[in-house]
Amino acid sequence: MAVPALTPHPDPPRSVPLREARTRFSQLVALAELTDAVTVVTRDGDPRPVAAIVPATAARSGAQARADADRLATVTAGWARRLDEQHRRSTQRHAAELGAIRAALAEVWAELDRRVVSGSDPTLARLRAAHNDLLAG
């Protein structure tokens, strides 16, 4: 079965010089057709690729490639909007929950202040100091 053109091929393409590609052209085409192998053709003595023999399902026109890129950009933008909205809602929810915790903690300390003389219990003084950043916010 052919690998979709948008997914990377797991095997790196083989590279052959143009002279060898001429003599093995039928074999390379059959290899592409049967195994989805990609063969990169280079100029003799130059390692830079100049062409490729690919399975027909992988060959796409410029218009198809642009349409795929546009579709991918649309999908990506949609997900980015969803993620931004989720982040905004999560931030609001976190701020509301933190506000509720601060209010409850302030109530607890107010009640403790009414029941215990300030400075009489070192453990309470240590806990108050630990909660001070939450109470001040």
Side-chain angles (χ1 to χ4, degrees):
M1 180 171 194
V3 175
L6 291 177
T7 60
H9 200 279
D11 301 324
R14 74 181 65 229
S15 179
V16 297
L18 182 58
R19 186 172 308 179
E20 182 181 343
R22 280 191 204 120
T23 59
R24 296 181 46 206
F25 185 72
S26 294
Q27 179 188 12
L28 295 173
V29 168
L31 191 64
E33 179 184 23
L34 298 174
T35 67
D36 290 330
V38 174
T39 303
V40 174
V41 180
T42 61
R43 295 235 183 252
D44 297 325
D46 187 356
R48 294 178 296 176
V50 293
I53 301 171
V54 298
T57 56
R60 298 179 296 146
S61 71
Q64 288 169 320
R66 282 188 298 279
D68 287 344
D70 290 345
R71 182 180 54 81
L72 184 61
T74 301
V75 168
T76 302
W79 277 108
R81 280 191 305 277
R82 287 182 196 95
L83 287 172
D84 287 344
E85 178 61 22
Q86 180 62 30
H87 181 262
R88 185 188 62 74
R89 283 193 306 244
S90 176
T91 301
Q92 287 175 339
R93 189 170 44 249
H94 177 74
E97 290 169 353
L98 184 59
I101 288 172
R102 284 180 170 158
L105 191 59
E107 284 181 43
V108 167
W109 280 110
E111 184 63 28
L112 280 172
D113 288 343
R114 279 193 292 276
R115 293 177 183 231
V116 178
V117 176
S118 182
S120 65
D121 189 343
T123 304
L124 283 179
R126 185 182 50 78
L127 286 172
R128 181 182 290 283
H131 292 152
N132 208 20
D133 61 326
L134 287 171
L135 293 171

